[in-house]
Amino acid sequence: MVYDEIKAICPHSLQDIFLKSLTTFKIGGKAKYVCYPQSVEELKNLIQYCNQNKIQFYVIGAGSNILADDSGFNGVIICTKRLKQIENLGGGKVKAQAGVTLAELLQFTKNNGLSGLEWATSIPATVGGAVVMNAGAFGGQISDICESVTILMDNKIVVLQKSKLFFNYRHSVFTNCKICVIIDVLFSFNISNVEKVTFNIRENMLKRAKTQSVGFASAGSVFKKTDDLAPAFMIEQCGLKGLRVGDAMVSPIHSGYIVNVAKATSEQVLALIDKVKIAVKDKFNKDLQLEIILLKGE
Ligand SMILES: Cc1cc2nc3c(=O)[nH]c(=O)nc-3n(C[C@H](O)[C@H](O)[C@H](O)COP(=O)(O)OP(=O)(O)OC[C@H]3O[C@@H](n4cnc5c(N)ncnc54)[C@H](O)[C@@H]3O)c2cc1C
């Protein structure tokens, strides 16, 4: 009954889907419904339906920063994957819908000789998720190029200018907001040329291949950088590279990553996180903060 109603609103919807198939960590139990709206209208109607029927919803992009609970999610997962429009507005301004991947946006900017996103090479994110997390690398971050964000909240479409987004290190006003849904983002790039942008992308690709090619499923860096010492450095100094709980392992290549070597569970990852936190606190007297987001079943 509920599924039929959801499908009538959003035809690209599925039932009883493992979250492990929707996250780069390849971990997570079943979500009751997974919906892929392909227009803002569908998205709006779907959220309205969830609110009216008191069904919990959770929005995901590429699922590359999420540790989904083994118990799954008893509600609607809204995946933005089908919101894919990119519009060149001229003068370096580009509008991209939430589900555009950074790889697609980077390709678009490269083809149009626009510079400012080259740091994002190989980050497996969507535009929406990247704004939520203020994703960044090699000294660049999404807040450098983001001008405004269009969101859906309380059934209203609102445009928020950058000054209202409170960007910080891997943080924005949206980071813990479960009711704000990013629809699209207006970016401002520097006018450059295809050759320069291509060169920058290649350089960053080589750097990443050297340091971050961990070879297993992951959600990227597990912990946020603290003021002075990098979590990866402290974890390595504690001798934790390769430490395992079940199939969850501190990557021997990049100790800031926890990898899923086969069939890790969220419970195993959380137990490993606890061990790492305790060791770092003991040796460095630092409290590691999670960068990854926990998606917990209700
Ligand atoms: C191999 C690997 C390398 C990585 N390297 C980097 C790196 O160099 N730098 C870096 O910053 N991160 C990195 N990450 C982490 C991750 O890619 C980023 O945090 C990214 O911004 C997450 O985007 P996403 O689309 O996957 O979001 P998701 O993981 O799907 O979601 C993240 C959060 O955003 C919310 N969200 C997503 N879309 C929307 C939306 N449209 N509206 C409202 N909320 C939304 C979700 O609810 C969740 O809270 C890496 C991850 C991996 C697996």
Side-chain angles (χ1 to χ4, degrees):
M1 172 71 173
V2 171
Y3 184 47
D4 291 341
E5 286 172 355
I6 285 176
K7 267 191 96 83
I9 296 166
C10 176
H12 292 279
S13 296
L14 300 165
Q15 209 172 1
D16 293 331
I17 297 297
F18 277 101
L19 287 164
K20 67 174 75 171
S21 67
L22 301 174
T23 59
T24 57
F25 227 153
K26 303 289 169 227
I27 292 174
K30 270 185 194 165
K32 187 91 185 121
Y33 309 105
V34 178
C35 304
Y36 299 88
Q38 48 185 357
S39 67
V40 175
E41 202 52 30
E42 270 185 26
L43 176 69
K44 208 173 163 197
N45 292 339
L46 185 60
I47 291 175
Q48 199 173 13
Y49 175 84
C50 290
N51 288 337
Q52 277 166 358
N53 292 281
K54 300 200 169 19
I55 299 172
Q56 210 193 2
F57 70 87
Y58 190 89
V59 182
I60 64 166
S64 66
N65 204 44
I66 289 175
L67 173 61
D69 200 81
D70 301 325
S71 64
F73 185 80
N74 190 22
V76 173
I77 296 287
I78 301 175
C79 181
T80 59
K81 241 178 174 171
R82 285 178 177 262
L83 298 173
K84 281 252 172 256
Q85 279 170 27
I86 309 182
E87 213 181 332
N88 192 346
L89 304 176
K93 310 263 188 242
V94 173
K95 194 179 255 194
Q97 280 192 317
V100 171
T101 63
L102 292 189
E104 289 162 343
L105 186 60
L106 188 56
Q107 184 69 34
F108 184 90
T109 54
K110 184 185 94 175
N111 292 345
N112 288 278
L114 300 173
S115 175
L117 189 67
E118 295 93 308
W119 53 264
T121 308
S122 308
I123 300 182
T126 60
V127 160
V131 167
V132 172
M133 299 308 301
N134 191 17
F138 306 128
Q141 55 197 342
I142 212 91
S143 56
D144 300 340
I145 47 173
C146 170
E147 246 187 36
S148 63
V149 175
T150 311
I151 63 163
L152 183 60
M153 195 175 87
D154 296 335
N155 212 29
K156 286 190 202 85
I157 291 180
V158 183
V159 178
L160 295 177
Q161 299 302 317
K162 183 178 180 168
S163 60
K164 297 271 160 55
L165 303 178
F166 299 101
F167 281 121
N168 215 318
Y169 180 76
R170 303 295 171 263
H171 182 90
S172 72
V173 71
F174 307 114
T175 310
N176 296 308
C177 175
K178 291 184 182 158
I179 55 163
C180 307
V181 182
I182 296 175
I183 297 172
D184 61 47
V185 180
L186 177 64
F187 293 103
S188 179
F189 295 106
N190 294 319
I191 311 233
S192 179
N193 62 63
V194 178
E195 291 71 30
K196 269 194 199 155
V197 179
T198 307
F199 176 82
N200 293 342
I201 292 173
R202 206 169 294 142
E203 290 282 288
N204 289 339
M205 215 177 255
L206 288 173
K207 274 192 237 165
R208 278 193 90 96
K210 268 194 209 142
T211 55
Q212 290 180 29
S213 187
V214 295
F216 290 109
S218 81
S221 296
V222 174
F223 304 102
K224 281 189 187 178
K225 253 192 222 147
T226 47
D227 35 11
D228 43 3
L229 298 173
F233 171 79
M234 292 190 278
I235 294 166
E236 189 172 346
Q237 291 299 303
C238 291
L240 302 179
K241 272 189 167 180
L243 180 73
R244 280 177 80 144
V245 174
D247 280 341
M249 177 173 75
V250 175
S251 165
I253 294 165
H254 185 313
S255 37
Y257 282 38
I258 287 178
V259 292
N260 173 6
V261 301
K263 291 185 176 168
T265 61
S266 64
E267 206 183 331
Q268 290 169 351
V269 174
L270 291 171
L272 187 55
I273 286 173
D274 278 347
K275 283 181 184 248
V276 170
K277 277 183 166 178
I278 290 167
V280 168
K281 179 76 179 168
D282 274 0
K283 193 170 170 76
F284 292 94
N285 196 26
K286 295 267 182 207
D287 293 304
L288 289 177
Q289 305 294 325
L290 282 187
E291 181 172 320
I292 55 170
I293 306 265
L294 307 178
L295 167 50
K296 190 122 178 67
E298 295 283 318

